[in-house]
Amino acid sequence: MSRRGEFDLIAQSLAPLSNTANGLGLTDDAALFDPTPGHTAVMSTDTLVANVHFLPDTAPADVARKALRVNLSDIAAMGAVARGYLLNLALPETVTDARVDAFVTGLAADQQAFGVTLWGGDTVRTSGPLTLSVTAIGEVRTGRALKRSGAQVGDQVYVTGTIGDAAAGLRLLSGSSSLAASDADFLADRYRLPQPRSTVGPRLVGLASAALDVSDGLIADLGHICETSSVGATVRAADVPLSAALRAAIARDVLSLPDALTGGDDYELLFCAPPAVHDVMKTLGAALGVSIKAIGEITQGGGVTLLDKNGGVITLQRAGHTHF
Amino acid sequence: MSRRGEFDLIAQSLAPLSNTANGLGLTDDAALFDPTPGHTAVMSTDTLVANVHFLPDTAPADVARKALRVNLSDIAAMGAVARGYLLNLALPETVTDARVDAFVTGLAADQQAFGVTLWGGDTVRTSGPLTLSVTAIGEVRTGRALKRSGAQVGDQVYVTGTIGDAAAGLRLLSGSSSLAASDADFLADRYRLPQPRSTVGPRLVGLASAALDVSDGLIADLGHICETSSVGATVRAADVPLSAALRAAIARDVLSLPDALTGGDDYELLFCAPPAVHDVMKTLGAALGVSIKAIGEITQGGGVTLLDKNGGVITLQRAGHTHF
């Protein structure tokens, strides 16, 4: 199939995803953003490469949505509300118009779901694999962004949702198993389409002392908080929230519990907060319909210690997964 | 040579390019930006792919600087002052630490030259060619950004610097010629390292009615202004500023004058302004040490008409160069 030129692609497919105030209908050299008075602009960017960050047979709509969602997850982790995004698309010569249209359809669906619009970007061709970068832009009350550096000794460690599903999902997409189809589909979907906690992040401002989203693996990412905050942490393995599907997958040796805790791609929020707000967290989770669970404590010293039911130390062979 | 992992690359090479206020030392999920009160954030992003946007033997420092500069040029074209940038780097498996270090050295030099710092980004590996996206962030007085859409019938059309050098430079880098070495080097440098007009752009706020930077070619880019502003334009070919080196190149058939006017990669500012500010433009150019030259007029109708010395129409085979 022939492929449209850059100008046609922008005018026909991408401009309808844009707006006038920020994206200038994609006719200009740059995008404009006025944060709400009293707010600071927040920007996050991630690059996905075919075969490295998604499987080659992934539907184009899912590729587009994942690229957007991993960045919306970063924006949420800063306590910010996402407003728009920039899209850099390097398309292989072989890509068809139909695949590009499917890609755009995926973006349109997620723009609706997450309240963002396309503000700008660049479209080029490449002799290599499909490569896309999304830069998400949001805003947070000035001086109140959630950073990795604020964890205090005595804080509790919380995580949203469930951990390890995506690691199991990737394993299942790469092989076969005796898992029930409904469980396998659930886990594969958790890998394919992460759920950014966009409703939770902004509500943590003023409550959480430090936060990030789990992309490298629960233990590795808690390690990032510890390093940046100059503290240590303990995690009670039995308290880490696991989905029923993941428990079934572990029972059938799809992956081990340690692999679930270090597997990455969860895109759940991991954050620290003083014990005083424990009840507020319970109420918040219930109000938002998202599990928010305490799984450990911030301690003196450094590094992350994983504890079993009896308080014994579980030794991990690796802390996390690198996307590099 | 072995290659450092992502974390080491960030901590050792990239973090020194960052700052605390905006980049958070590259330890967090996102960057923060508070525009100066009364100002709007401006964001521009471009992707460069090896062998498509730069020649395979280009020095890594020049690749880095060009990627940054083409975005600084976009920021200037909006009338904005650049403050920082995000860097998305997809590195082939074969890239060496030494090449990455040279790349970083190039960024450091241009950060100094243009007053920007690294606020964030992402580093991944690719099975394809080196691919880099830079997102430049700046600010402009709220409501005063220079857009493509403001050109008015009767405005004069201006361009900074000289046009066509980069097109000749690319031609020279791809072949041989009898041009004097000093001329050939000048033209090749103009292709390799564009000079963003960062001092000029912000000074055009309140004077220019429309602006952009010339990347697709003088005629094509003026066509973009005409289309977005619903006007036409004439350009007096004899008034388009050409460097002495380019004149020599044209005399030796390195490229034709039409190829110079449509070649692209100039990264000069092309803008429109009412006749009343003509003398102000002269003074401004002299004050900044940058040529600012009137080359035509905005007219009713549509499209760009190129005129010879006698007012006859010069027909072009193509309007511009597409980077797609």
Side-chain angles (χ1 to χ4, degrees):
Chain A
M1 280 178 74
S2 79
R3 210 187 58 218
R4 287 161 292 198
E6 179 181 15
F7 296 123
D8 285 346
L9 172 63
I10 293 170
Q12 293 166 14
S13 299
L14 297 175
L17 301 178
S18 188
N19 67 353
T20 306
N22 306 104
L24 306 170
L26 304 187
T27 63
D28 270 81
D29 291 307
L32 303 176
F33 179 44
D34 285 303
T36 304
H39 288 63
T40 295
V42 180
M43 290 157 289
S44 165
T45 188
D46 273 308
T47 299
L48 302 191
V49 179
N51 308 334
V52 179
H53 300 94
F54 53 90
L55 300 171
D57 60 348
T58 309
D62 288 348
V63 171
R65 296 168 81 185
K66 184 162 187 172
L68 182 54
R69 288 175 177 215
V70 299
N71 283 289
L72 296 178
S73 180
D74 283 323
I75 295 291
M78 301 295 287
V81 177
R83 300 296 186 200
Y85 66 102
L86 311 175
L87 173 67
N88 297 66
L89 204 48
L91 296 172
E93 295 287 354
T94 54
V95 81
T96 61
D97 287 355
R99 287 186 75 83
V100 173
D101 288 342
F103 187 92
V104 168
T105 303
L107 290 176
D110 269 7
Q111 289 198 182
Q112 190 82 11
F114 296 100
V116 293
T117 45
L118 177 63
W119 292 357
D122 194 18
T123 306
V124 300
R125 65 184 167 194
T126 178
S127 60
L130 175 67
T131 303
L132 63 156
S133 299
V134 167
T135 303
I137 302 129
E139 58 181 346
V140 66
R141 272 190 289 153
T142 300
R144 305 302 287 275
L146 303 176
K147 300 176 189 172
R148 299 183 175 187
S149 57
Q152 302 290 326
V153 175
D155 281 353
Q156 290 191 283
V157 177
Y158 293 87
V159 72
T160 61
T162 54
I163 291 296
D165 298 328
L170 176 58
R171 200 70 66 87
L172 290 165
L173 286 169
S174 317
S176 62
S177 82
S178 61
L179 207 58
S182 60
D183 285 342
D185 287 350
F186 171 85
L187 296 169
D189 277 352
R190 289 276 287 161
Y191 172 75
R192 263 196 299 249
L193 271 189
Q195 183 61 48
R197 296 303 182 184
S198 302
T199 60
V200 181
R203 299 291 291 273
L204 299 179
V205 169
L207 297 172
S209 55
L212 48 63
D213 66 330
V214 181
S215 57
D216 293 336
L218 179 72
I219 302 300
D221 281 316
L222 184 51
H224 298 327
I225 287 181
C226 288
E227 193 177 343
T228 317
S229 298
S230 303
V231 295
T234 56
V235 170
R236 300 176 298 272
D239 286 348
V240 175
L242 306 181
S243 67
L246 181 64
R247 290 183 190 278
I250 291 174
R252 284 163 195 269
D253 287 329
V254 172
L255 87 175
S256 68
L257 178 61
D259 281 351
L261 302 184
T262 57
D265 272 326
D266 295 297
Y267 298 103
E268 295 291 349
L269 297 183
L270 176 69
F271 61 95
C272 306
V277 303
H278 187 74
D279 289 347
V280 179
M281 286 301 163
K282 267 191 174 164
T283 312
L284 183 63
L288 298 176
V290 177
S291 160
I292 299 180
K293 195 157 187 293
I295 60 169
E297 268 88 39
I298 295 299
T299 63
Q300 290 185 316
V304 179
T305 306
L306 187 63
L307 302 175
D308 66 20
K309 281 176 192 170
N310 305 315
V313 173
I314 302 172
T315 304
L316 293 170
Q317 295 211 294
R318 58 164 202 173
H321 167 75
T322 174
H323 291 241
F324 184 65
Chain B
M1 280 177 76
S2 80
R3 210 188 59 219
R4 289 162 290 199
E6 179 181 14
F7 295 123
D8 286 346
L9 172 62
I10 294 170
Q12 293 166 14
S13 298
L14 297 175
L17 301 178
S18 188
N19 67 353
T20 306
N22 305 105
L24 306 169
L26 304 188
T27 63
D28 270 82
D29 291 307
L32 303 175
F33 179 46
D34 285 303
T36 304
H39 288 64
T40 295
V42 180
M43 290 157 289
S44 166
T45 188
D46 273 307
T47 299
L48 302 192
V49 179
N51 309 334
V52 178
H53 301 93
F54 53 90
L55 300 171
D57 60 347
T58 309
D62 287 348
V63 172
R65 297 168 81 184
K66 183 162 188 174
L68 182 54
R69 288 174 178 217
V70 298
N71 283 289
L72 296 178
S73 179
D74 283 324
I75 295 292
M78 301 295 287
V81 177
R83 300 297 186 199
Y85 67 103
L86 311 174
L87 173 67
N88 296 66
L89 205 47
L91 296 172
E93 295 288 352
T94 52
V95 81
T96 61
D97 286 355
R99 287 186 76 83
V100 173
D101 288 342
F103 187 92
V104 168
T105 303
L107 290 177
D110 270 6
Q111 289 197 183
Q112 190 83 11
F114 294 101
V116 294
T117 46
L118 177 63
W119 292 357
D122 194 19
T123 307
V124 299
R125 65 184 167 193
T126 179
S127 60
L130 175 68
T131 303
L132 64 155
S133 298
V134 167
T135 303
I137 302 130
E139 57 181 345
V140 65
R141 273 192 288 153
T142 300
R144 306 301 287 274
L146 303 177
K147 301 175 188 172
R148 298 182 176 189
S149 57
Q152 302 290 327
V153 174
D155 281 352
Q156 290 189 286
V157 177
Y158 292 87
V159 71
T160 61
T162 55
I163 291 297
D165 297 328
L170 176 59
R171 200 69 67 87
L172 289 165
L173 286 168
S174 317
S176 62
S177 81
S178 61
L179 207 59
S182 59
D183 286 342
D185 287 349
F186 170 85
L187 296 169
D189 277 351
R190 289 276 288 162
Y191 172 76
R192 263 198 299 250
L193 271 189
Q195 182 62 48
R197 296 303 181 184
S198 301
T199 59
V200 181
R203 300 291 292 273
L204 299 180
V205 168
L207 297 173
S209 55
L212 49 62
D213 67 328
V214 181
S215 58
D216 294 335
L218 179 72
I219 302 300
D221 281 315
L222 184 52
H224 298 326
I225 287 181
C226 288
E227 195 178 342
T228 317
S229 298
S230 302
V231 295
T234 56
V235 170
R236 300 176 299 271
D239 285 348
V240 175
L242 305 181
S243 67
L246 181 65
R247 290 182 191 278
I250 291 174
R252 283 164 196 267
D253 287 329
V254 171
L255 87 175
S256 67
L257 177 61
D259 281 351
L261 302 184
T262 58
D265 273 324
D266 294 297
Y267 298 104
E268 295 292 349
L269 297 183
L270 176 69
F271 62 95
C272 306
V277 303
H278 187 75
D279 288 348
V280 179
M281 287 301 163
K282 267 192 173 164
T283 312
L284 183 63
L288 298 175
V290 177
S291 158
I292 299 180
K293 195 156 187 295
I295 60 169
E297 268 88 39
I298 296 297
T299 63
Q300 289 185 316
V304 179
T305 307
L306 187 63
L307 302 176
D308 66 21
K309 281 177 194 171
N310 307 314
V313 172
I314 302 174
T315 305
L316 293 170
Q317 295 210 296
R318 58 165 202 171
H321 167 75
T322 173
H323 290 241
F324 184 66

